[in-house]
Amino acid sequence: MSEILMSNDPFLASGEIDNETELIPLITAEDEELMNAESTPPELPILPLRNTVLFPGVVIPITVGRDRSIKLIQEVYRGNRTLGVLSQKDSDIEEPEPKDLNKVGTIATIIRMLRMPDGSTTAVIQGKKRFEMIEMVKTDPYFTAKVKEFAEQRPQKGEKKFEALVSSLKDLATNIIKASPHIPTEASFAIKNIDSPSFLVNFISSNMNAEVAEKQRMLEVADLRERANMLLAHLTKELQMLEMKNEIQSKVRTEVDKQQREYFLHQQIKTIQDELGGNPIEQEIEEMRAAASKKKWTKKVGDLFEKELLKLQRMNPAGAEFSVQFNYVQLLLELPWGEYSSDKFDLRNAQKVLDRDHFGLEKVKERLIEHLAVLKLKGDMKAPIICLFGPPGVGKTSLGKSMAEALGRKYVRMSLGGLHDEAEIRGHRKTYIGAMPGRLIQSLKKAGTSNPLFVLDEIDKVGKDFHGDPASALLEVLDPEQNHAFYDNYVEMEYDLSRVMFVATANSLSTIHPALRDRMEIIEVNGYTLDEKVQIAQRHLLPKQLDGSGIKAKQFKLGEGLLEAIVENYTDESGVRTLEKRIAKLVRYRAKQIGLKEKFNVTINVADLVKIYGPSHARDKYQGNDVAGVVTGLAWTPTGGDILFLETSITKGEGKLTLTGNLGDVMKESAMIALEYLKAHSDIIGLEQEVFKRWNVHIHVPEGATPKDGPSAGIAMLTSIASAFTQQKVRKYLAMTGELTLRGKVLPVGGIKEKILAAKRAGIKEIILSEDNRKDIEEIDARYVKGMRFHYVTEMIDVVKHALLKEKVEHALLVA
């Protein structure tokens, strides 16, 4: 014990108790051998340590505060000065029990005991050798335990691998001392002067920067080689953390130095550039000014640009606001102020383009040709706001692209589905970080002209939340009287949108803001008929799928009536999206056959469809008139028209009305109106009013899981009730649609085209509808209504007279 080192650094002083200075004597190999040769007594007084672990050979000072520990130190110091030291499992426990102490500890000798000026007792103790506690035999006045020796396993002397390990430990410890600014350099000399491998491991373990639990784990490892490897791993991690910390501090210092250096360099560059005749920023600003001189903007815009450019010129290029101002000036320059593309006035070519890309949709094409004709005659007009309204898959969005080509304008599409931030329309103010103009202005910048054709897709799906209401922001955009002065928050200057042709698309008008809907010209895009779908499939869908699959025309042919069968049995929609998927399935089926080199018939026939698609989805067909009270009605759905059956049964009772079939409020009211009208005018079916008090009426509309609503089943309900009470048959192959009033008037309803096509598919031959719906029938192509008869009525009595036959059903009820 020739030397004592005083230390307060984190690496060497992690075993400090209450900030006392640590004493670390360095022992020689001979000293260590003498310690290990000493015998382990069978019993030892035990001193608990709260926040450190004592290793053999290491000297630490401990400040004793507990009464039990003070008594132990005083008695042992007066005796043989030998005691056992065990660390606590939890350092927060003030008065530990035997179960709170670890089992493995170190036999220690009290070197010196000191009374401090504040009255506390400090003992300097040195570890000798490890021991293991067998059991605690006494707890009063202090802990006394039975112990046994904890033997250490050491490698053979001269083992090269272990010597290399010890050398690595010395190097790592030395590097940590060098890397830490708080450890004195003298510590590295202490490390180098230790010649005992075991003490080196104990010395570094005792003073390393680690938790008490980790040090205790190392104390409990009997194999010196294993303990050295654990220590090596910990020191490696510690060195990496120190190097990382030093690197970060160095980087921060370097950044500050770099900024100062860059400032001086910028000043030098500026001086040099001034000498050479200008700097790049100035040159770019001059290029902007030159480009601005060629713009077709108004004096107001020109003055704003010059003002903002001068502001940019005065800014420091290294400042954060420079890039914001630069982007703003750049946007002003790139916007197509007053730049317009020339419209094509070749009406025949426009018609040709529209017919090429879309089959049917005559109303929409006619409206566009009308617009072109007026534009051609006048030369200039405010662009209309068109809203294409219809079910999904009928070509509303793609029609906008064809319109742009027909007009010769740039095409811009902006999807509004799910848009809920008003700033997407009006832009952000420049004061916000990351501010941008609205999507309208951005799209005009990309288009390069101020009169593109702008498709506002899914305008009915605009959202609303705490960010604002985008639908309200669109009111200015889509008003021809206001959009000549559209204000974007980022541009901060009015922009003329009056010559932009806006085409909106929507699936439902009910969800569009009422004021927004009022600003648009609604053009309804109806669903396609069977013939139209077949034509679209042949002209567009099939060639597109074949082209994308690589199948040659000679390898793929469609049998007669195949497309009609697919449309009728495997699609249920107004548009053609499902039809396109079905055709894609056909093409993939053939591609699989070719890929597997199977034998196949080139022509795909109707009989093959069940194998390819599975069972068909058969539509409702007319079911006859053998049962009283069953009437065929017509319904409109988002995917097209359909027929529905209304069933009425009567049972003896008190005149109650029961409705089933998942009916909406409007449809329930129609049933109530029908029954009340019939009660009030029972003479039209030859019955007395008293009859209705003796019979309960139950009306059911099949497919009960499907919600149904609307007033168009009113006349069908009354006919069904009348048939049930009179037990008269309803005319064969007859369907009807129309709203009923309490006065017996038959009012017009919507969706006539879809309903008529559904009736024809179901085999219906006669249809009753309101006189006011005559114009809707006249608009339908005569090919689609061939073989059908229409009866136009204004009064409910006409419906009953035509619908009910004198013939009664078999086993008719006797209603009285």
Side-chain angles (χ1 to χ4, degrees):
M1 303 181 192
S2 56
E3 185 177 351
I4 292 180
L5 177 68
M6 305 294 289
S7 172
N8 259 335
D9 58 83
F11 172 69
L12 292 174
S14 62
E16 289 175 9
I17 307 298
D18 297 335
N19 296 323
E20 289 296 329
T21 302
E22 186 173 353
L23 303 172
I24 309 172
L26 302 183
I27 64 173
T28 62
E30 290 77 17
D31 296 333
E32 190 178 29
E33 287 296 327
L34 289 173
M35 288 181 183
N36 289 328
E38 292 177 8
S39 61
T40 302
E43 283 189 7
L44 279 174
I46 301 298
L47 175 68
L49 292 186
R50 290 181 65 175
N51 53 1
T52 191
V53 176
L54 178 66
F55 284 79
V58 178
V59 174
I60 60 170
I62 56 170
T63 300
V64 183
R66 300 168 180 151
D67 293 336
R68 182 186 290 170
S69 298
I70 293 172
K71 192 161 189 176
L72 183 150
I73 291 291
Q74 289 173 346
E75 284 192 20
V76 169
Y77 189 72
R78 286 196 296 268
N80 61 4
R81 299 192 179 186
T82 301
L83 72 162
V85 175
L86 290 175
S87 62
Q88 292 181 199
K89 294 176 182 177
D90 185 355
S91 60
D92 293 332
I93 297 174
E94 196 65 39
E95 292 294 334
E97 297 294 331
K99 61 183 175 60
D100 299 322
L101 303 179
N102 290 298
K103 296 291 183 183
V104 178
T106 306
I107 299 172
T109 299
I110 302 176
I111 299 173
R112 187 180 306 166
M113 188 176 74
L114 305 169
R115 291 190 179 277
M116 308 306 291
D118 60 354
S120 62
T121 301
T122 296
V124 179
I125 62 176
Q126 181 179 28
K128 295 291 185 180
K129 59 191 295 186
R130 291 174 176 79
F131 74 91
E132 183 177 356
M133 180 175 68
I134 300 171
E135 63 175 343
M136 194 70 71
V137 294
K138 256 180 21 180
T139 57
D140 193 61
Y142 45 79
F143 291 139
T144 304
K146 285 185 178 181
V147 299
K148 66 178 180 179
E149 186 174 349
F150 188 87
E152 184 178 63
Q153 301 168 16
R154 300 189 183 188
Q156 292 182 356
K157 203 167 185 179
E159 186 180 314
K160 298 295 183 186
K161 192 172 181 180
F162 181 71
E163 287 178 357
L165 181 60
V166 172
S167 178
S168 298
L169 284 174
K170 281 190 176 184
D171 293 339
L172 271 174
T174 305
N175 290 336
I176 289 173
I177 293 167
K178 290 179 181 176
S180 176
H182 306 292
I183 302 177
T185 54
E186 292 80 7
S188 59
F189 295 113
I191 296 290
K192 290 176 183 177
N193 288 328
I194 296 175
D195 56 358
S196 167
S198 177
F199 179 65
L200 177 71
V201 172
N202 290 336
F203 178 79
I204 298 175
S205 299
S206 176
N207 295 286
M208 67 182 182
N209 189 10
E211 298 291 332
V212 173
E214 188 172 350
K215 290 184 177 183
Q216 179 65 30
R217 278 196 299 272
M218 295 190 71
L219 182 71
E220 292 174 0
V221 175
D223 191 340
L224 179 59
R225 185 188 293 102
E226 184 182 344
R227 200 158 70 247
N229 280 318
M230 289 174 63
L231 182 59
L232 184 70
H234 179 85
L235 293 184
T236 303
K237 182 179 175 183
E238 182 68 17
L239 181 60
Q240 288 173 351
M241 292 293 290
L242 272 170
E243 287 174 348
M244 198 181 304
K245 180 180 174 184
N246 292 338
E247 184 182 346
I248 292 169
Q249 291 176 344
S250 174
K251 196 170 183 180
V252 171
R253 188 167 56 251
T254 306
E255 284 293 325
V256 175
D257 296 340
K258 185 180 177 184
Q259 286 181 5
Q260 293 175 343
R261 184 168 172 271
E262 284 179 353
Y263 173 76
F264 289 117
L265 286 174
H266 278 303
Q267 293 299 318
Q268 291 174 1
I269 289 171
K270 188 176 179 182
T271 306
I272 294 168
Q273 286 171 344
D274 289 341
E275 291 291 329
L276 293 173
N279 63 43
I281 300 296
E282 288 294 335
Q283 290 174 5
E284 197 158 358
I285 289 173
E286 288 305 316
E287 287 173 6
M288 285 182 174
R289 190 171 276 116
S293 64
K294 300 174 185 176
K295 299 289 288 184
K296 299 176 183 177
W297 48 31
T298 61
K299 184 177 184 301
K300 188 176 179 181
V301 179
D303 291 345
L304 173 70
F305 176 81
E306 189 60 34
K307 176 185 172 185
E308 297 296 330
L309 193 66
L310 288 172
K311 189 190 292 184
L312 177 70
Q313 203 168 2
R314 290 193 294 269
M315 282 183 174
N316 180 6
E321 291 185 0
F322 181 83
S323 61
V324 176
Q325 183 68 12
F326 183 86
N327 291 336
Y328 176 63
V329 173
Q330 191 78 29
L331 176 72
L332 290 179
L333 191 62
E334 290 178 354
L335 279 174
W337 304 90
E339 296 177 23
Y340 304 98
S341 60
S342 299
D343 287 328
K344 294 178 183 177
F345 297 122
D346 188 344
L347 302 187
R348 294 186 184 278
N349 180 63
Q351 186 73 55
K352 186 178 176 183
V353 170
L354 293 173
D355 289 339
R356 179 198 70 196
D357 294 342
H358 293 82
F359 187 82
L361 305 180
E362 303 304 331
K363 273 190 179 181
V364 185
K365 296 175 185 176
E366 183 183 351
R367 176 64 189 83
L368 183 60
I369 297 300
E370 287 173 359
H371 170 69
L372 280 174
V374 174
L375 196 61
K376 182 177 182 179
L377 293 174
K378 190 172 182 294
D380 183 27
M381 66 176 285
K382 286 184 178 178
I385 314 296
I386 294 173
C387 178
L388 301 177
F389 153 65
V394 294
K396 301 184 296 297
T397 305
S398 61
L399 187 64
K401 197 166 188 177
S402 299
M403 291 166 67
E405 185 181 344
L407 282 165
R409 293 192 177 194
K410 295 281 187 181
Y411 170 74
V412 176
R413 177 183 167 274
M414 176 175 161
S415 178
L416 298 178
L419 192 74
H420 56 81
D421 190 352
E422 185 184 333
E424 293 282 342
I425 306 296
R426 291 192 177 276
H428 305 81
R429 298 196 180 276
K430 295 201 305 292
T431 51
Y432 296 112
I433 294 172
M436 291 191 303
R439 287 167 65 180
L440 280 161
I441 294 296
Q442 290 182 50
S443 299
L444 288 173
K445 172 186 161 185
K446 290 177 185 175
T449 66
S450 291
N451 66 335
L453 187 141
F454 215 115
V455 173
L456 299 171
D457 217 2
E458 311 289 359
I459 199 168
D460 57 324
K461 297 177 182 64
V462 175
K464 179 181 180 180
D465 67 1
F466 63 93
H467 291 293
D469 185 4
S472 299
L474 283 169
L475 294 176
E476 181 186 5
V477 175
L478 299 182
D479 190 342
E481 299 301 322
Q482 296 181 43
N483 63 11
H484 66 278
F486 171 69
Y487 186 87
D488 185 278
N489 291 326
Y490 184 85
V491 177
E492 294 182 340
M493 173 64 65
E494 294 170 349
Y495 197 93
D496 185 5
L497 300 178
S498 63
R499 292 176 68 176
V500 176
M501 186 171 184
F502 289 101
V503 177
T505 71
N507 299 131
S508 170
L509 295 179
S510 60
T511 54
I512 302 177
H513 194 294
L516 193 59
R517 188 169 66 238
D518 184 59
R519 284 162 164 76
M520 299 186 291
E521 180 180 344
I522 309 295
I523 298 177
E524 187 172 357
V525 185
N526 290 316
Y528 296 112
T529 63
L530 172 63
D531 291 347
E532 287 174 338
K533 288 182 179 180
V534 171
Q535 290 290 331
I536 291 168
Q538 289 175 341
R539 296 184 184 194
H540 302 286
L541 306 181
L542 187 57
K544 176 184 173 184
Q545 293 297 328
L546 288 175
D547 185 55
S549 67
I551 296 176
K552 297 174 183 175
K554 65 181 181 180
Q555 296 174 313
F556 188 90
K557 289 183 181 177
L558 300 181
E560 186 178 351
L562 183 74
L563 289 174
E564 288 88 343
I566 293 174
V567 172
E568 287 203 315
N569 299 325
Y570 292 96
T571 65
D572 184 18
E573 60 176 352
S574 294
V576 291
R577 284 206 179 107
T578 304
L579 178 57
E580 184 173 11
K581 293 172 187 173
R582 296 286 179 257
I583 291 173
K585 172 70 175 172
L586 277 184
V587 173
R588 292 196 303 272
Y589 175 75
R590 179 47 46 86
K592 185 188 78 170
Q593 289 179 323
I594 296 170
L596 294 174
K597 297 182 180 179
E598 298 176 356
K599 289 183 179 180
F600 58 85
N601 186 358
V602 174
T603 304
I604 299 177
N605 296 306
V606 176
D608 299 323
L609 294 182
V610 175
K611 182 180 177 183
I612 298 170
Y613 298 132
S616 64
H617 311 291
R619 292 173 178 269
D620 285 333
K621 294 291 182 183
Y622 178 70
Q623 296 178 357
N625 67 339
D626 296 329
V627 180
V630 178
V631 176
T632 306
L634 298 175
W636 178 92
T637 69
T639 58
D642 210 345
I643 67 169
L644 53 83
F645 301 102
L646 292 97
E647 304 171 348
T648 301
S649 69
I650 56 174
T651 55
K652 286 192 175 182
E654 301 173 352
K656 290 182 180 178
L657 173 64
T658 308
L659 301 167
T660 55
N662 200 351
L663 308 182
D665 290 340
V666 177
M667 205 164 181
K668 289 177 182 177
E669 289 167 1
S670 295
M672 293 164 63
I673 292 169
L675 182 58
E676 292 302 319
Y677 175 78
L678 204 54
K679 286 179 182 179
H681 302 84
S682 57
D683 56 314
I684 68 173
I685 58 173
L687 294 176
E688 297 293 332
Q689 283 192 10
E690 295 300 319
V691 172
F692 295 97
K693 295 180 180 179
R694 296 193 292 272
W695 295 84
N696 291 335
V697 180
H698 186 156
I699 301 175
H700 176 67
V701 185
E703 296 187 26
T706 306
K708 309 166 196 74
D709 203 4
S712 64
I715 65 172
M717 284 183 167
L718 192 145
T719 306
S720 178
I721 298 170
S723 173
F725 272 98
T726 61
Q727 292 292 292
Q728 290 175 268
K729 289 185 176 182
V730 178
R731 190 177 295 276
K732 273 189 176 185
Y733 303 110
L734 174 71
M736 58 188 73
T737 182
E739 183 178 353
L740 174 66
T741 72
L742 273 176
R743 293 175 295 156
K745 298 289 184 183
V746 180
L747 302 182
V749 292
I752 292 298
K753 181 180 178 183
E754 287 82 1
K755 291 177 179 179
I756 299 305
L757 294 174
K760 187 171 184 182
R761 284 195 303 267
I764 300 296
K765 296 177 181 177
E766 291 186 64
I767 293 178
I768 299 176
L769 65 167
S770 171
E771 176 67 37
D772 292 334
N773 282 128
R774 185 188 291 269
K775 63 182 186 303
D776 298 304
I777 300 296
E778 291 171 351
E779 287 182 359
I780 302 174
D781 195 317
R783 292 176 298 165
Y784 306 134
V785 294
K786 187 177 180 181
M788 300 182 76
R789 283 188 294 160
F790 298 94
H791 302 278
Y792 303 104
V793 295
T794 57
E795 301 287 341
M796 189 62 220
I797 190 168
D798 299 327
V799 178
V800 175
K801 283 180 179 179
H802 183 78
L804 296 185
L805 302 174
K806 297 297 182 183
E807 179 187 359
K808 293 201 175 189
V809 298
E810 293 183 15
H811 311 296
L813 289 169
L814 181 61
V815 179

